[in-house]
Amino acid sequence: MRIDRLDAQLIRLLTESPQLPILECARRLGIARGTATSRLARLHESGVIEAIVPRIDPAGFGYGVVAFCLVEIDQKIGHDEVATALADAVPEIVDMHTVTGASDMQLRLVARDATRLQEVLDRVALVPGVARTASSIAMRTHLSGRVLPLVDHVAADGS
C-alpha cells in the first residue's frame, strides 16, 4: 500500500500519542474527522498499522538488562513449535525471529540483572527443541522500534 504525507502525519501523531482521539487528530492535521477516520481505517485494513498501543519500556518496571540470544534448534522439531514453546516458557522474550546464518532464531530478552538474565537463558536452553544457545548483553540501546523515519521516507518518496 502507498502512504502519503497525510498518512505519515497521522501515523506519527498516533505513535507519539496513542490515546489521542480521532477528532483531535483531525483538528491537529487540519482535516475533516471523516477523512481522519477513513485514513485510519485504510491503514489498519492494509496492515500498515497493526495496533495503536502505548510503547512500553521494560526498564521502567525493573527490566533494565537487554540481551540477545542466538538459538540453534533441533531440526527434527519445526521452528513454529519451538517458537510457541519459547513464548510460553519465557515471558522475558520481547522479540523473536527466525533468521538465516549460523543460528536458527534470534531472541531479544530482558532481565532485572545479570543473575536473573542467567536464569532466563537457562529457561531458554531447557525448552524442548532448543539444541544450543549463544548470548550477548546489550551495553546501550541506540534505537529500538524505530519506524517513523521509514514512514516519512516512504511518504516523501511515494514508493
Side-chain angles (χ1 to χ4, degrees):
M1 175 189 150
R2 290 181 171 245
I3 62 172
D4 61 19
R5 289 182 194 270
L6 182 57
D7 292 327
Q9 290 171 330
L10 181 59
I11 291 167
R12 179 174 296 281
L13 268 178
L14 291 170
T15 300
E16 293 171 351
S17 302
Q19 295 179 326
L20 202 61
I22 197 69
L23 184 59
E24 180 59 18
C25 290
R27 187 190 69 72
R28 290 186 188 186
L29 295 173
I31 59 175
R33 178 181 183 174
T35 301
T37 301
S38 66
R39 292 271 183 147
L40 184 57
R42 185 174 50 86
L43 291 166
H44 274 293
E45 290 166 6
S46 65
V48 172
I49 294 178
E50 293 178 347
I52 300 173
V53 297
R55 185 165 173 187
I56 299 168
D57 183 357
F61 51 93
Y63 286 76
V65 175
V66 176
F68 298 92
C69 181
L70 299 174
V71 177
E72 291 180 36
I73 67 167
D74 180 344
Q75 297 302 308
K76 296 177 188 120
I77 300 176
H79 286 79
D80 291 341
E81 188 174 327
V82 173
T84 299
L86 283 165
D88 290 345
V90 188
E92 295 90 346
I93 296 173
V94 292
D95 290 311
M96 181 185 318
H97 304 275
T98 294
V99 296
T100 62
S103 64
D104 299 305
M105 301 182 93
Q106 181 170 335
L107 315 175
R108 183 168 60 98
L109 322 152
V110 294
R112 291 188 182 275
D113 55 42
T115 300
R116 290 193 177 120
L117 174 61
Q118 183 60 59
E119 293 167 4
V120 171
L121 292 169
D122 289 345
R123 279 189 277 131
V124 167
L126 291 173
V127 168
V130 172
R132 188 177 353 271
T133 65
S135 61
S136 58
I137 296 175
M139 301 303 290
R140 180 183 301 161
T141 299
H142 298 278
L143 296 171
S144 178
R146 178 180 183 242
V147 215
L148 291 177
L150 178 61
V151 169
D152 291 339
H153 172 75
V154 170
D157 190 30
S159 48

